[in-house]
Every structure is written in structure tokens, then in C-alpha cells.
Amino acid sequence: MIKSILIPLSVSIIFVICSSAEQLPVFVDVTKEAGIDFKHNNGKTEHKHIIETMGSGAVFFDYDADGDADLYLVNSGPVPDKDIPKSEFHAARNALYRNDGNGRFTDVTDVSGTGDTGYGMAASAGDIDNDGDLDLYVCNFGQDTLYRNSGDGTFTNITKIAGIDNSLWSIAAVYLDYDLDGDLDIFVVNYLIYQLSMPVTKYKGIIGYGHPRSYEGTADVLYRNNGDGTFTNVADTAGLVNPSEGRGMAAVVCDYDNDRFPDIYVANDTGRNFLYHNNGDGTFTDESLFLGVGYDENGVAEGSMGVDVGDYNRDGWFDIIVANSEKATLYKLQNLGDDNFFFEEATVESLLQKPTLPYVGFSPLFIDYDNDGHLDIFCANGHPQEVIEQLTDYETFAQRDQLFHNNGDGTYTEVSQTSGTYFSEALVGRAAASADYDNDGDIDIVIMNSNQRTVLLKNEGGNRKNWLGVKLVGTQSNRDGIGAKVKLLSGNITQIAEVKSGSSYASGSDLRLLFGLNNAEEVDSIVIEWPSGIGQKVENVPINQILTISETE
């Protein structure tokens, strides 16, 4: 049942005044002036362990519930080799930066207790106990870490008591309520079976990082939330174990078939990708072959790195963008009716194949950077093989990132060269996450580079077109509203989005949704389908504001 209301009492509003001048947005590197001083350390060795080149992730999340997105950055090295003398072992740690609300961040790692020193890969945020505070899951090469947010600016490591026992090489984690019981479960993507004692890999006599197919894949993990502060790994009984084929690099969750139950897409490196359909009974079925998203249109398993979902063509259904070592791959969902779905590869027709082919994509993000109501694409790029320039004369280790503008007709145009000087800088790009960290109505981006500095890009001018931010608070559903579908109607623009906890590679973007409205002067309605099954409608919504909408009873 849909409940129609006019701005309910459970909706809070923040207004921002924006310019209407027609200018193209640019992204500006504001890392230094924002107070972020973070460099990824991969523990580089002469052995060239494959873990060294993978990089690590970041997550935007409002840990102190003050209305702006804070930033957690994951670090890696040094390599945890028992043969390294303790006198030479200086552990790198992760960092939590508090958003001060004035364009600057403050390092609060020490006081918050979140400086994990494992060989870090990824992080994801979600409220596991529905107490209103976002908790933090950290993926490592080795034992993962789960931090519970105490609500007073500090976190407690509850890994052991919560039953988090994953000590494989995890490289991504996403929160979802797969059984719709009102609390968040955790899906963890594991990559390869790798031992530091494995021999070096040589190419033409040169030591380099091993190829993923040189190592065995491993099973992923699904932690069911028991509702009492503990978790149980149910991946086997849920049908999510594909160890022979799985070399997981990333995952994203969305309800692609609109049956309320969240489905899981896993991007695998040099192997078939998985699309696990949620059967609604606690089990999943891999439908990737049937639905056409396991391989590219030529039946080739690509070196998939990162993934995101979004309705790029505004037809009301979620599409998938995958960053690969070969090219980007765009899968367009087709609905034939009567629950007959399939994905069609749209890479060529969208004009994405040619400009992405020369690069190794790691972190794709669907973002509407210019607020015109169409989803654009950002991608962080960088080659995984450090010695690639010694092996070929046409590939480079460091690469520039790319930005693609959605033309509104199913095609994209690369606009990197006109979107800021950052896009001319070659870095070893890995992870990326997005948020409107300064609450000014346009989307900003943080990029993690392997063994290099972190970059914060501020969007300058995206808010010249109108926008609406939406933050959901679940009451019957999980507190974060993860899995909720939001449909926005404004004039002749109809958009859909789903609250999700993880995307791109090893990272998580802000849980708040940001809709570009182009020149629309009002939002006619917002329709929310909560994971609980409750339908909720808000009508006649003013623009250029951030709404907090609580789930109706």
C-alpha cells in the first residue's frame, strides 16, 4: 500500500542556495587544503607478492551522525612476512578522517580506535545493530576486522565475539538484508589462495606480479546477522560458494528483478562473473549464464576489477557497469514482461568500448556529476603489473582516470580533458568512492592509488543545476534503509535509485542518494519501496535540499 503525504514530520530539511549559471562542472584536487594527508603503503618487496599491487579502498560514511560524510581510508603494507626483522617492521594503519563541515577533515584515528594494522584491502559501513550508528567492516589479507560504533566517537573491535572468522584474502564487503528480517548481513568477497612462500614469477627473465590464473580461487562468505551481536557464515547453505571459479574482486547488491529480495553481483578476475538471484528462502541461484552477465558479448571471461549498478538509460531498471583489464563492459537490463529478464551488453552502442580499451579500469562509479538527471561514469584506472613498461611498448603502469558524460540517448562521451587538470595526471588508480561531502548539492570523489597519495576531488559547478538529496531512516526495515528503492518524479524526469553499501572496487560510497534534477523547479513525488514491503510517498517536494525520510509505520 502506498501512503501519500505532504512532507511528513519525519522529514528534516537542509536548504542550500545554488547558482543557475550554465557552465560545465570541473573537479578540483582539494586533498591538501581539506587536511587529508594519506599515502597508501603496499610494502613493496623485490619478491613482488601479488598482494602488493592490488591497492586498497575507502568508504564515505557519517560515523558521528552529524549530517556530513566522514572518510575512512584503508592501508596495507608492509607485507606480513615472518622473515622480516621486527626492527624493520613498521606497521601501516588505516585512518578515519572526521568531516568538520567547513571543507576540512581532521584525523581522528587514535581517538576513534579504528587504526587497524592488518594488511588492509577494503572497508564497508552499515548499522549492524540498528542503534543509529554506522559500524565498520575491514577486509584484510588475513583476519578481517569488525568495528562496532559506540556512538560517542569511538569504536570497539568486536571481531571475535561477533564470530567474524574470515582469514582468507578478502577484497570487498557489502551490507545487505538478504533475508528481510530487518537487520544487516555481510557478504565478503575473497580473492585468491596466496602464500608468501610461493616462488617469484618471471616474465622474460624479469620478476613481476603473478597472473591471477596462476593461483586458485577461493569461496566467498555470507555472514547472517543473528540479531544478538553475532554472525554465522551461511554461504554454503545459501548457495554462494564457487571456489573453483571465484577470484572475486568486487560485489554490488541490487534487486534487479524488483521482487524485494536483494541479489548479488560478483566481479571475478579472469573468470566468469556471478549474478546470484535471491530465491527468497535463504538461498541464491547463480543466473549469470542465463541472464547474460557472466561473460562479455563474445563469450570471453574478462579481468573484472570493480562494478557498480544504476539506471543509466532511465527505463526503470538497474544496469551494470564493470571495469576490466580489457575494457569497460556495460550490461543493459531488458524486461520482456512476466518476470522475463535478461541483460544485453551495450558497451559498443554506448560508445564506451573504444575510449576504455587502452586502460585497465578498477573502480567504476555511476554518478550524475552535472545534475542533469542522467548517470555519468567515473573510472579510476591503473595497470596491475608494475613491470609492464619493460614487457610492452604500448602499456603503462600509471594511467589517468576517466570521466564519461551521459548524452541522454544511450551513449557516453569522454569529457576527462575538460573536467579538471587532475585528469591529465597519471597515477596507479585503484579504488574510488563518492559523496557530497560538503553538502553543496553535487557529487565529489575520493580516489585511492596503489603505493601513492590519496586524492579528494571536489566538484565545482555541478550544483548549478537543481538537485535533491535523500537520506533514509528505516524503522521496520534496517536502520540505514539499505535495499530501499527510491523513485523520483519531477516534471518529465523519472529516476530510480537503490540505497547500497558497497560499489566500485574495495570501497563504499555515501548511503545518502543524490538526484540531479536539471532545470526542474519542484519534485512532484518521491515513492519509496522499503525492504519491509512498506510503500511510502512524499509529494510536492522543494528542490535543492537534503531530506531525511523515516519509514512510516
Side-chain angles (χ1 to χ4, degrees):
M1 176 180 177
I2 299 293
K3 182 178 180 183
S4 182
I5 51 181
L6 176 62
I7 308 292
L9 293 177
S10 57
V11 176
S12 63
I13 304 175
I14 302 172
F15 285 96
V16 178
I17 304 299
C18 302
S19 167
S20 60
E22 284 290 340
Q23 298 180 29
L24 291 175
V26 296
F27 285 92
V28 179
D29 184 347
V30 296
T31 315
K32 185 176 180 180
E33 64 189 72
I36 296 174
D37 181 17
F38 187 90
K39 179 181 180 296
H40 176 253
N41 175 9
N42 69 353
K44 184 177 177 181
T45 68
E46 293 182 0
H47 188 290
K48 285 188 166 47
H49 298 286
I50 188 173
I51 62 172
E52 297 169 17
T53 191
M54 301 315 298
S56 61
V59 57
F60 274 116
F61 74 122
D62 185 5
Y63 86 94
D64 52 2
D66 65 351
D68 49 35
D70 309 296
L71 184 57
Y72 189 73
L73 306 176
V74 181
N75 218 333
S76 300
V79 173
D81 193 327
K82 62 180 177 58
D83 295 328
I84 297 177
K86 288 187 176 181
S87 60
E88 299 178 14
F89 193 91
H90 303 287
R93 67 173 187 172
N94 303 343
L96 177 61
Y97 285 90
R98 184 190 65 220
N99 190 330
D100 296 330
N102 57 2
R104 291 188 58 82
F105 291 78
T106 298
D107 188 336
V108 293
T109 309
D110 288 337
V111 67
S112 66
T114 54
D116 191 71
T117 57
Y119 197 89
M121 287 287 150
S124 188
D127 187 354
I128 60 173
D129 47 11
N130 287 329
D131 66 350
D133 302 308
L134 287 167
D135 310 295
L136 196 60
Y137 190 100
V138 179
C139 295
N140 292 314
F141 175 70
Q143 177 62 50
D144 291 349
T145 303
L146 178 62
Y147 290 106
R148 183 181 60 211
N149 191 330
S150 303
D152 59 0
T154 68
F155 289 75
T156 303
N157 186 335
I158 62 168
T159 308
K160 187 174 182 179
I161 62 174
I164 302 299
D165 56 359
N166 187 49
S167 58
L168 297 171
W169 181 2
S170 61
I171 209 160
V174 293
Y175 289 87
L176 72 162
D177 183 6
Y178 83 95
D179 49 5
L180 300 184
D181 63 353
D183 51 33
L184 290 176
D185 314 294
I186 307 173
F187 180 71
V188 181
V189 179
N190 290 317
Y191 187 33
L192 306 172
I193 299 296
Y194 183 77
Q195 304 294 334
L196 297 178
S197 60
M198 289 180 171
V200 299
T201 301
K202 291 187 176 182
Y203 304 89
K204 300 179 181 179
I206 302 170
I207 297 177
Y209 296 118
H211 192 279
R213 283 199 170 274
S214 301
Y215 312 102
E216 294 181 35
T218 186
D220 298 328
V221 172
L222 176 63
Y223 285 114
R224 185 190 65 216
N225 192 327
N226 299 322
D228 59 1
T230 67
F231 292 81
T232 301
N233 182 6
V234 295
D236 196 9
T237 56
L240 293 171
V241 177
N242 275 312
S244 61
E245 296 185 89
R247 294 179 179 84
M249 288 280 284
V252 69
V253 174
C254 79
D255 176 18
Y256 76 87
D257 57 352
N258 207 26
D259 66 355
R260 278 184 52 222
F261 289 92
D263 311 298
I264 305 172
Y265 186 86
V266 180
N268 290 306
D269 193 359
T270 69
R272 175 175 61 88
N273 295 338
F274 307 144
L275 178 52
Y276 291 113
H277 176 259
N278 191 328
N279 300 317
D281 59 1
T283 68
F284 293 79
T285 301
D286 181 8
E287 299 281 7
S288 58
L289 295 178
F290 177 73
L291 293 174
V293 290
Y295 303 96
D296 71 1
E297 64 182 355
N298 298 313
V300 176
E302 297 178 292
S304 298
M305 306 297 186
V307 60
D308 201 6
V309 295
D311 182 15
Y312 85 95
N313 55 357
R314 290 203 323 215
D315 65 353
W317 300 97
F318 291 116
D319 312 295
I320 303 173
I321 181 71
V322 184
N324 303 297
S325 56
E326 296 83 4
K327 59 173 175 58
T329 300
L330 180 63
Y331 296 105
K332 178 173 61 176
L333 180 59
Q334 303 280 25
N335 175 23
L336 302 181
D338 298 322
D339 296 327
N340 187 5
F341 299 93
F342 74 96
F343 286 86
E344 176 185 3
E345 186 178 332
T347 312
V348 174
E349 72 178 56
S350 67
L351 306 182
L352 284 172
Q353 180 168 341
K354 185 177 180 180
T356 62
L357 192 60
Y359 301 92
V360 176
F362 260 82
S363 283
L365 289 171
F366 275 124
I367 57 171
D368 184 2
Y369 82 98
D370 57 352
N371 285 350
D372 67 352
H374 296 282
L375 290 179
D376 312 298
I377 298 173
F378 170 88
C379 192
N381 299 320
H383 206 286
Q385 184 57 264
E386 186 183 36
V387 298
I388 191 64
E389 292 166 43
Q390 297 173 259
L391 304 176
T392 72
D393 56 4
Y394 58 90
E395 293 183 272
T396 60
F397 186 45
Q399 300 178 355
R400 64 177 181 85
D401 297 341
Q402 292 176 289
L403 182 65
F404 298 93
H405 180 262
N406 189 327
N407 299 317
D409 59 1
T411 68
Y412 283 89
T413 299
E414 184 175 358
V415 292
S416 309
Q417 292 183 342
T418 57
S419 298
T421 57
Y422 168 77
F423 289 97
S424 63
E425 184 176 357
L427 295 166
V428 187
R430 291 296 182 258
S434 64
D436 180 11
Y437 79 88
D438 49 3
N439 289 336
D440 68 347
D442 49 31
I443 203 73
D444 312 297
I445 306 171
V446 67
I447 303 105
M448 300 288 285
N449 300 295
S450 180
N451 212 42
Q452 295 175 329
R453 69 186 183 96
T454 294
V455 176
L456 178 65
L457 294 181
K458 184 181 187 301
N459 188 329
E460 293 282 6
N463 57 10
R464 294 189 183 102
K465 292 184 177 178
N466 295 326
W467 55 276
L468 183 72
V470 177
K471 173 181 168 59
L472 299 186
V473 179
T475 56
Q476 316 304 308
S477 306
N478 69 84
R479 182 65 179 257
D480 301 322
I482 289 174
K485 276 191 174 68
V486 178
K487 183 178 181 180
L488 183 146
L489 292 89
S490 180
N492 60 354
I493 296 177
T494 300
Q495 300 180 62
I496 63 165
E498 186 172 301
V499 180
K500 59 182 185 291
S501 77
S503 62
S504 70
Y505 165 78
S507 299
S509 295
D510 191 3
L511 295 177
R512 299 178 300 177
L513 303 175
L514 183 63
F515 293 93
L517 302 177
N518 206 344
N519 298 317
E521 297 182 354
E522 185 181 60
V523 171
D524 300 322
S525 67
I526 302 171
V527 179
I528 304 167
E529 296 292 342
W530 295 90
S532 64
I534 291 174
Q536 189 170 353
K537 189 175 185 179
V538 182
E539 295 184 304
N540 304 323
V541 181
I543 59 173
N544 297 344
Q545 58 164 309
I546 300 172
L547 272 67
T548 298
I549 306 177
S550 295
E551 184 176 11
T552 179
E553 296 182 2

